[in-house]
Amino acid sequence: MEHSPAALTARLRPLLLAVHAALSAGVAVSAAIHARHGWNPTADRHLDHQLVRREAMERLRPWGAGPDELSDPLQARQLEFLDTSTDNLGLPMSGLILRTPTDVLRVWRSDDGELPAAATDGLRAFYRQDPSRQLQLALDPDGPRSTPGHLALLWSDSGAVLTRFDLVRPCGHVGRRVQVDWHVDLHERLGRPAA
């Protein structure tokens, strides 16, 4: 299975579009709630991020639509909450895990475009995978089935609009510092028709 940015973007396109739409809706919901109450979102950024997360979670629940209504088998996925530690109480915007038969995708808010530090056993395990260049050298095609690829979707917003939507493939860590196999901005890629 190919793990290049182009191959993964093409393979996961329906899922990526659904996540983008869900996060965009979440950003709009948070902005509307803050406006209705006259709240400043920067006064409590965690509330803002959690409102986005909650709306996105509701829109991405797979059990809300039957399999006959889905146009693509990638949409038949499982959504789970991230097992959060008490270090950050699951904040900011950690908590969405999407699984397909070939990939595990974690959705995190990231203003700086960086992955969360490899500070927990769970994150270290998630980051631990071979770089995609090594995966292409597999010599035994009939060998054991490969494990799902680990990916992160990083997002941020400003003025009730998504300003970051990046797909990142980690490939290990050195201490708490995450090593990145590749990192692509999906704003432009998702705007173009699928190849």
Side-chain angles (χ1 to χ4, degrees), residues 144-181:
R145 186 176 163 206
S146 62
T147 59
H150 295 170
L151 301 164
L153 260 176
L154 304 179
W155 71 274
S156 63
D157 69 301
S158 178
V161 174
L162 287 183
T163 57
R164 174 182 310 283
F165 195 67
D166 297 349
L167 186 62
V168 182
R169 187 174 191 283
C171 64
H173 62 90
V174 175
R176 293 172 51 107
R177 196 181 85 237
V178 182
Q179 296 176 311
V180 173
D181 188 19

Side-chain angles (χ1 to χ4, degrees), residues 10 13 192-195:
R13 185 176 179 82
R192 294 191 306 241

Side-chain angles (χ1 to χ4, degrees), residues 80-146:
E80 299 176 358
F81 291 104
L82 177 65
D83 181 20
T84 58
S85 69
T86 56
D87 292 342
N88 66 2
L89 302 177
L91 305 171
M93 188 48 197
S94 60
L96 294 179
I97 298 179
L98 300 160
R99 300 177 193 278
T100 72
T102 57
D103 301 286
V104 176
L105 185 71
R106 288 189 172 190
V107 180
W108 285 305
R109 177 171 171 88
S110 175
D111 287 324
D112 60 5
E114 297 293 323
L115 292 167
T120 66
D121 290 339
L123 283 175
R124 287 187 288 273
F126 181 74
Y127 294 147
R128 196 175 305 123
Q129 65 183 344
D130 291 330
S132 56
R133 293 167 304 282
Q134 286 182 290
L135 294 173
Q136 295 170 0
L137 299 176
L139 299 176
D140 183 10
D142 299 324
R145 186 176 163 206
S146 62

